Amino acid sequence: MDQNKQTILKSFSPVKVLIPVLLGLAATAWLFIKDDKLGDLKGIAEANMWWLLASVAVLLIRDFGYIYRIRALTDKFLTWRNSLDVIMLWEFASAVTPSVVGGTTVATIILNKEGIPLGKSLAYVMLTAVLDNMFFILAAPVALLATQGEVFPTFGLEAADVMKLKTAFYISYGLIAVYTLLMIYALFVNPRAFKWLLLKITSIAFMRKWRVNAFQHGNEIVWASQQLKGKEAAYWIKAILSTVFVWSARYFLLNCLIAAFTDVTLGEHLLIISRNLIFWIVMLIAITPGGAGIVEMAFPSFFGLFLGNFSNIVVVLYRLITYYPYLILGSIFLPKWIAKVFGRQAVEDEVTVQGR
């Protein structure tokens, strides 16, 4: 079987889909059972339907933003339909892999199988990672300054827990910043020096087992850098603005859900967005697929102040809208996409894997 095909089928195996579903359901059940709050589910009937519909509309707008961005980054090589396939499978890959890993390897293969050369596929995937991370790096200090310390939750937490949360945030932020600055240097300044550094590091005795991977990754950086040279200003403007758009929409979706259950002032809307930013920076180091389980457990501490008894309901709705649909949609898009790029035999292989 083609190596790329094996990677795709392995990444989207039923076990990898089932694990985040079970983790998420277990965490959700625990939230309701631990304090005997199953009766809170009746609160859904009290929700403002207009805000709930607005949350779905924001989700669709966000996904359109992702589709537009990948099409713009590929200089419109991808059609709108192909861009939709890529984003749905990319979201699927992100949903079944730990947040710290993401779906970058699979995304590169997906773009490559859509007819984009490997070097360009690597460049586009790395560029999206850099753009997303730069949004976090620049927006987080703004959120911290604008909220004057209120961005870190204290609701239901001991002082020691708040300190642990702050520590997790600063560690995550630091790792993102270091990684992003290295990637910017490697992609846009001196890719060959970065490759040399990787090889130098892996020449140390206990690091030598990673030397082959370092050599391969160094080559990938060089290829990707070559593809991004000479892009016009309009290209970068579209890339930056679409990134700001999709992440702003991603965060505002939660505002809509919270507003569906409680009155929210303008100041509280801004605080919710700020906390959501900090929340997801912390979640980026989550070790579970798609942050499953961890998101559900941490959510009440961050947003319970605004929701009270509706906190558990909103986290369930939030995950139902933003996470589980991509597991379903990915399972629908995957067989059709495999048939398109690998042929009929690949579909039979995929069915065999799904049946294991």
Side-chain angles (χ1 to χ4, degrees), residues 46-191:
E46 301 177 32
N48 183 314
M49 293 305 298
W50 291 110
W51 275 113
L52 291 180
L53 290 174
S55 66
V56 175
V58 170
L59 178 69
L60 295 175
I61 291 170
R62 185 205 72 171
D63 284 348
F64 174 77
Y66 276 125
I67 292 168
Y68 172 85
R69 183 173 72 164
I70 195 61
R71 190 164 185 263
L73 291 181
T74 61
D75 290 313
K76 297 184 179 180
F77 177 87
L78 294 177
T79 64
W80 288 108
R81 175 50 201 266
N82 290 346
S83 298
L84 173 63
D85 289 342
V86 168
I87 293 302
M88 288 299 104
L89 293 175
W90 198 334
E91 289 287 332
F92 188 26
S94 298
V96 298
T97 53
S99 300
V100 70
V101 176
T104 53
T105 300
V106 174
T108 301
I109 296 174
I110 292 170
L111 288 173
N112 184 226
K113 298 309 294 184
E114 287 289 350
I116 298 174
L118 180 59
K120 286 188 176 182
S121 297
L122 287 165
Y124 299 144
V125 172
M126 290 179 184
L127 181 56
T128 58
V130 169
L131 289 169
D132 290 342
N133 289 345
M134 281 303 299
F135 179 86
F136 300 143
I137 291 170
L138 296 175
V142 175
L144 290 170
L145 291 172
T147 58
Q148 299 180 345
E150 291 185 33
V151 72
F152 291 106
T154 57
F155 181 77
L157 296 177
E158 300 291 337
D161 294 327
V162 176
M163 185 55 64
K164 290 177 182 178
L165 182 61
K166 290 183 178 180
T167 301
F169 164 74
Y170 287 117
I171 290 174
S172 182
Y173 183 86
L175 291 173
I176 294 169
V178 170
Y179 170 78
T180 304
L181 291 175
L182 282 174
M183 289 300 297
I184 290 173
Y185 177 80
L187 284 173
F188 303 109
V189 181
N190 197 335

Side-chain angles (χ1 to χ4, degrees), residues 257-293:
L257 285 177
I258 292 176
F261 290 90
T262 184
D263 293 330
V264 182
T265 65
L266 177 59
E268 288 174 334
H269 270 297
L270 295 176
L271 180 57
I272 291 168
I273 291 175
S274 299
R275 281 199 177 180
N276 206 355
L277 174 65
I278 302 302
F279 179 66
W280 279 107
I281 289 177
V282 175
M283 289 301 105
L284 282 174
I285 58 174
I287 60 173
T288 59

Side-chain angles (χ1 to χ4, degrees), residues 68-69 72-73 76 233-243:
Y68 172 85
R69 183 173 72 164
L73 291 181
K76 297 184 179 180
Y235 180 88
W236 297 109
I237 291 173
K238 290 178 182 178
I240 293 170
L241 291 181
S242 59
T243 298

Side-chain angles (χ1 to χ4, degrees), residues 198-199 202 208-220:
L198 289 178
L199 294 176
T202 51
R208 283 177 185 165
K209 62 181 178 180
W210 292 293
R211 190 169 178 81
V212 173
N213 289 336
F215 179 77
Q216 180 181 350
H217 188 58
N219 284 336
E220 291 173 351

